[in-house]
Amino acid sequence: MGYSNKEGVLWTSQSLAEDANGETIEVRNVGCGSLVLVWENASATDGVVKLQESNDDSTWKDITSQTVTIGAATGTHVFKLTKDVLLCAYIRPVIVDNAETAATATLKYF
């Protein structure tokens, strides 16, 4: 079996000013990885980006350890995906805007 890395971009200039469910990522047979979130122009300090997991790509549950609160005008966060986190077949990012009205974000995965 060969070794392969998969990387890409899920969001480019994604608005954090409204609730949204991101694209599903299949993580079967993935042992580890990461997602890097970069946001700009946050107007509030209570927006949330979190990861959810699913085995059927329709019923979703928050991954407890994989949540970040947007706490500054500009910032970054790395979601570290270890084998203890990647226990379901799918993950997806989710935006909960709360009082955020202006921020945009880029989300890349590896």
Side-chain angles (χ1 to χ4, degrees):
M1 177 176 199
Y3 177 77
S4 173
N5 291 325
K6 184 176 181 180
E7 56 187 296
V9 178
L10 289 175
W11 297 340
T12 302
S13 299
Q14 169 69 44
S15 172
L16 298 181
E18 61 183 55
D19 294 350
N21 295 327
E23 182 179 338
T24 297
I25 305 169
E26 185 174 350
V27 292
R28 286 186 178 104
N29 301 315
V30 174
C32 63
S34 63
L35 289 109
V36 177
L37 174 69
V38 179
W39 66 88
E40 298 177 326
N41 304 318
S43 61
T45 57
D46 65 349
V48 171
V49 175
K50 60 186 175 181
L51 301 182
Q52 293 183 327
E53 61 188 355
S54 173
N55 275 328
D56 61 8
D57 198 17
S58 65
T59 305
W60 294 92
K61 182 182 181 311
D62 293 352
I63 303 173
T64 306
S65 63
Q66 300 297 315
T67 299
V68 62
T69 301
I70 306 305
T74 300
T76 62
H77 179 77
V78 177
F79 293 98
K80 295 180 181 177
L81 306 175
T82 63
K83 65 181 180 176
D84 296 335
V85 173
L86 298 171
L87 298 175
C88 288
Y90 305 95
I91 62 171
R92 72 175 181 187
V94 173
I95 299 166
V96 181
D97 73 327
N98 294 317
E100 179 54 53
T101 62
T104 57
T106 300
L107 183 63
K108 297 179 181 182
Y109 64 89
F110 176 78

